[in-house]
Amino acid sequence: MTNVIHPQTVDPTWLALMIGNSRLHWALFSGKTLREAWEIDQVPVTAIERLIQQWAQGDWPEAIFPLNVREWVRQAAKAGPIPLYLASVVPAQTSIWQTYPATTIVTPDRLPLKGLYPTLGIDRALAILGAGNQLGWPVLVLDAGTALTLTGADGDRHLVGGAILPGLGLQLHALVEHTAALPIVEARSDSTLPPRWALNTADAVESGIVYTMVAGIQDFIGAWRTKFPDSAIAMTGGDSTSLLNYLQAKAPEVAAIVQPDPHLIFWGIRSVALAQLPISQ
Ligand SMILES: Nc1ncnc2c1ncn2[C@@H]1O[C@H](COP(=O)(O)OP(=O)(O)OP(=O)(O)O)[C@@H](O)[C@H]1O
Ligand SMILES: CC(C)(CO)[C@@H](O)C(=O)NCCC(=O)O
Ligand SMILES: [K+]
């Protein structure tokens, strides 16, 4: 069991929510300190409406708030509704959260970044901002979620560009879904490399996907480093541990320059919240 946490500081409590394509990513902050981060599964819109109503009435639905943060939010809410900073890449889920009275939607125009194109995912913009704030500019971010995205910005916080491909889990599942004879393959839990020249179907699927993804990642990182030799490179997202382990096994010298950080998007959201909330710097 995790420890129950309590608000002990004068800094305001606030919540960050990143609505991704497969899960909702939550973080509880007091001031600039991230106290707790957790994930919940995607919730149908009708169920969200009910949860938000419950929440607005001072009830803390277990479907959203894990036991260890409920006492904290309950106490913090005595001072008024807890500010919620929300970013979403799922438009159908965004507006419904505005029924909660203290919601700020984080949009690209609020971010101190240049050269963003209109349809760029807010998760990518926030991750590059968070990574640049933590590691400096230029910076390249790999976000290994439902999609694997690569996003790079130069020393002037100007978007250089990036790429989008199906993520590890999505590649495995899509191949199974669209073929008759291929079995469900889960990436191996220890993230060791599969045999490249596989002699059974499950290994063959895993080999194909893992070796091409790792080769692609190496190639993109190499190309980025040619442009920006000293650039920091960061990796985040649900599959980052697996992919980084594969990369470590295949190309340790490349893995060594990649800095994993599960909270890049939250650091991006934090810089927006810090500019608005009364927080001691
Ligand atoms: N407990 C878990 N539940 C679901 N997926 C998980 C879990 N742990 C790791 N994963 C992996 O994380 C990937 C999804 O990553 P993530 O949660 O970052 O995606 P997401 O919610 O779609 O976010 P985004 O839209 O930003 O990519 C899946 O491919 C899956 O393999
Ligand atoms: C690519 C995803 C789905 C990754 O979460 C998201 O960033 C998104 O919906 N982006 C919009 C397209 C773009 O970034 O160019
Ligand atoms: K992603």
Side-chain angles (χ1 to χ4, degrees):
M1 213 180 100
T2 31
N3 291 331
V4 173
I5 54 175
H6 298 278
Q8 312 111 322
T9 66
V10 290
D11 277 330
T13 292
W14 59 278
L15 289 159
L17 169 58
M18 175 69 231
I19 302 181
N21 277 295
S22 58
R23 299 189 285 175
L24 309 189
H25 308 266
W26 288 89
L28 173 78
F29 282 83
S30 64
K32 38 183 187 177
T33 308
L34 189 152
R35 299 283 172 184
E36 197 72 25
W38 68 98
E39 260 95 33
I40 64 174
D41 287 335
Q42 208 54 268
V43 189
V45 171
T46 48
I48 303 175
E49 278 171 343
R50 236 186 357 262
L51 290 173
I52 297 173
Q53 268 169 18
Q54 242 179 294
W55 176 10
Q57 285 157 15
D59 186 8
W60 301 91
E62 277 172 58
I64 300 180
F65 300 100
L67 270 179
N68 59 326
V69 304
R70 284 172 77 199
E71 188 50 27
W72 183 303
V73 289
R74 209 176 57 74
Q75 294 205 20
K78 289 179 182 164
I82 299 173
L84 170 67
Y85 285 83
L86 177 155
S88 170
V89 292
V90 186
Q93 294 255 336
T94 314
S95 54
I96 185 77
W97 287 94
Q98 278 168 306
T99 57
Y100 175 70
T103 304
T104 302
I105 309 273
V106 179
T107 48
D109 54 287
R110 290 170 179 264
L111 309 180
L113 296 169
K114 297 171 198 162
L116 304 187
Y117 59 90
T119 59
L120 180 80
I122 185 72
D123 54 346
R124 301 178 62 194
L126 286 166
I128 199 90
L129 178 60
N133 284 344
Q134 298 291 108
L135 305 171
W137 311 83
V139 68
L140 175 69
V141 170
L142 289 79
D143 185 346
T146 308
L148 171 63
T149 60
L150 298 101
T151 313
D154 68 14
D156 197 28
R157 296 168 171 247
H158 198 285
L159 179 71
V160 173
I164 303 171
L165 64 148
L168 182 62
L170 186 56
Q171 291 202 31
L172 291 167
H173 286 115
L175 192 54
V176 172
E177 235 160 73
H178 296 278
T179 51
L182 296 186
I184 293 193
V185 178
E186 298 296 338
R188 46 195 73 207
S189 53
D190 58 355
S191 303
T192 52
L193 285 169
R196 186 190 285 270
W197 306 111
L199 283 169
N200 66 67
T201 306
D203 281 355
V205 167
E206 201 186 350
S207 168
I209 290 168
V210 166
Y211 282 98
T212 56
M213 276 192 103
V214 172
I217 288 171
Q218 275 179 264
D219 184 61
F220 268 100
I221 290 177
W224 181 259
R225 278 279 183 137
T226 307
K227 252 172 126 57
F228 301 102
D230 300 320
S231 171
I233 300 176
M235 190 152 173
T236 197
D239 286 320
S240 52
T241 306
S242 306
L243 283 177
L244 208 49
N245 282 338
Y246 293 138
L247 191 62
Q248 175 66 39
K250 180 145 179 297
E253 70 290 353
V254 181
I257 57 172
V258 178
Q259 309 199 39
D261 185 338
H263 301 316
L264 289 182
I265 290 175
F266 292 138
W267 306 144
I269 295 177
R270 178 175 66 178
S271 68
V272 175
L274 286 182
Q276 289 193 349
L277 295 169
I279 291 168
S280 46
Q281 295 296 311

